[in-house]
Amino acid sequence: MTGVVKVLYIAGWGRSGTTIVDNILGSYENVFSAGELYYLWRRGLVQGRRCGCGEKLAECPLWSKVLHVAYGSEPPCPKRTAALQYRVTRVRNTRRLTRGGLDAEAAEYRDLVGRLYAAIAEVTGAELVVDSSKLPSGAAVLARVAGVEPYLVQMVRDPRAVAYSWMRPKAQLDRPKPMLMDQHGPAESTTKWLAWNLLTEQVARQGYAGRRHRLRYEDFVADPRGTVEGLLAWAGVAADGGPFVDGRTVELGANHTVSGNPARFRIGPVALHPDEEWRRAQPLGPRALCTALSFPLLHRYGYRVLT
């Protein structure tokens, strides 16, 4: 495994549109989307959840080959690796991961990740690997991986829309027996939206000079094709064989995403339009709370206080 691997990492708090952007990027001929690669070990290999192709991840031919190329006949123990990953990449460790030398565990995890990215590129032949793991700590680790040319997309969405989305139940479709995803109240969602975005900004400043881009969900749905192909051009990748039927309709096929929003299993034509239900249906109390908590970043990201 030689050469530099281009990796585009999508960071941001959940329900901000990362999955659909990831799936569209992965539909171009020279791009491979790994989905939320962070969850390969715990969700995919320990819990036995499904790959985007429908197979259990441990039984997916592509991921089986990737793991063999990365680690040979004796891959890391999934349970041990998941525990190592958790200790190293807790969000509260993000600042520590951007500064100075890494401790032994962080360096071990960084090297495991580096071998995985290299193997993905080798097996798929992709010019660009997309990782939508979202965690700012994951972006911090990526910036320190040898042999990788990292790009960081910070994806943001109006925090009131995000909080409304987190309050709606969604089914986890990748488990053997589907169950509902975790839900977050408006205070928890907005506090994490604020923290994750501030930490992502810090990682971007310290580890991604010249290779960082902030993308608002609202701008993406206003011009889906222009936005996605603009990201590819920014990363120096040609937009070959894309999924767009027209400016805002995509034809999605099966994928090999490790984890993500249940929408990753959607196949066929998808028309992209702004999701504005929250403006009509969100109660005044939660909206006011979200506005107050997120006020420090609302103006910076171009959102109005009054909606």
Side-chain angles (χ1 to χ4, degrees):
M1 294 178 287
T2 60
V4 174
V5 179
K6 284 188 177 182
V7 178
L8 189 153
Y9 189 100
I10 304 177
W13 178 231
R15 307 295 175 90
S16 296
T18 57
T19 296
I20 186 61
V21 171
D22 183 11
N23 283 358
I24 294 173
L25 284 167
S27 298
Y28 285 83
E29 289 180 357
N30 47 357
V31 181
F32 177 78
S33 168
E36 296 176 5
L37 189 60
Y38 175 85
Y39 295 107
L40 169 70
W41 305 101
R42 180 164 61 88
R43 292 182 182 175
L45 299 178
V46 176
Q47 296 178 356
R49 297 204 199 179
R50 290 193 294 144
C51 172
C53 70
E55 296 282 348
K56 283 188 176 182
L57 195 133
E59 298 170 3
C60 170
L62 184 139
W63 284 108
S64 296
K65 187 172 182 180
V66 166
L67 290 168
H68 180 77
V69 169
Y71 308 115
S73 58
E74 296 184 3
C77 169
K79 287 186 177 180
R80 179 188 178 279
T81 304
L84 171 70
Q85 178 187 58
Y86 176 77
R87 291 193 300 272
V88 170
T89 62
R90 298 184 71 175
V91 173
R92 69 186 186 188
N93 294 339
T94 301
R95 289 190 176 92
R96 187 188 312 163
L97 292 168
T98 64
R99 301 170 180 169
L102 299 178
D103 62 27
E105 285 200 328
E108 178 186 358
Y109 178 68
R110 175 203 59 198
D111 293 343
L112 283 170
V113 168
R115 293 172 69 178
L116 189 58
Y117 284 127
I120 291 171
E122 180 175 329
V123 170
T124 65
E127 185 180 350
L128 178 70
V129 176
V130 182
D131 179 354
S132 59
S133 292
K134 297 199 289 286
L135 281 81
S137 52
V141 171
L142 172 62
R144 309 191 70 162
V145 174
V148 162
E149 185 176 298
Y151 293 80
L152 176 62
V153 173
Q154 177 191 0
M155 192 148 186
V156 299
R157 185 183 182 188
D158 190 306
R160 293 155 293 199
V162 171
Y164 179 74
S165 180
W166 275 114
M167 293 179 70
R168 292 186 294 177
K170 284 193 176 184
Q172 290 178 334
L173 302 178
D174 57 354
R175 288 178 175 270
K177 294 183 179 180
M179 59 185 295
L180 292 180
M181 298 178 69
D182 292 339
Q183 293 175 262
H184 300 285
E188 182 184 13
S189 171
T190 308
T191 300
K192 289 187 174 180
W193 178 92
L194 191 69
W196 283 41
N197 279 303
L198 287 171
L199 288 170
T200 299
E201 287 187 10
Q202 180 178 4
V203 172
R205 288 192 300 270
Q206 296 187 354
Y208 290 84
R211 296 197 186 111
R212 55 183 180 174
H213 178 80
R214 184 181 299 146
L215 173 60
R216 299 194 326 161
Y217 166 82
E218 295 79 6
D219 297 331
F220 158 67
V221 292
D223 181 15
R225 184 170 192 167
T227 299
V228 170
E229 296 191 352
L231 288 176
L232 292 174
W234 168 64
V237 177
D240 295 334
F244 280 93
V245 176
D246 56 39
R248 59 173 56 257
T249 304
V250 291
E251 183 76 29
L252 295 178
N255 59 65
H256 288 282
T257 51
V258 166
S259 185
N261 187 291
R264 72 191 177 99
F265 292 106
R266 189 170 180 180
I267 295 174
V270 177
L272 302 166
H273 298 286
D275 180 358
E276 299 289 338
E277 181 183 345
W278 68 277
R279 295 185 184 276
R280 302 184 301 273
Q282 188 176 47
L284 181 60
R287 184 176 303 190
L289 177 60
C290 293
T291 301
L293 290 173
S294 62
F295 185 79
L297 288 184
L298 279 182
H299 179 71
R300 185 186 303 182
Y301 294 163
Y303 297 116
R304 295 180 178 180
V305 173
L306 300 178
T307 61

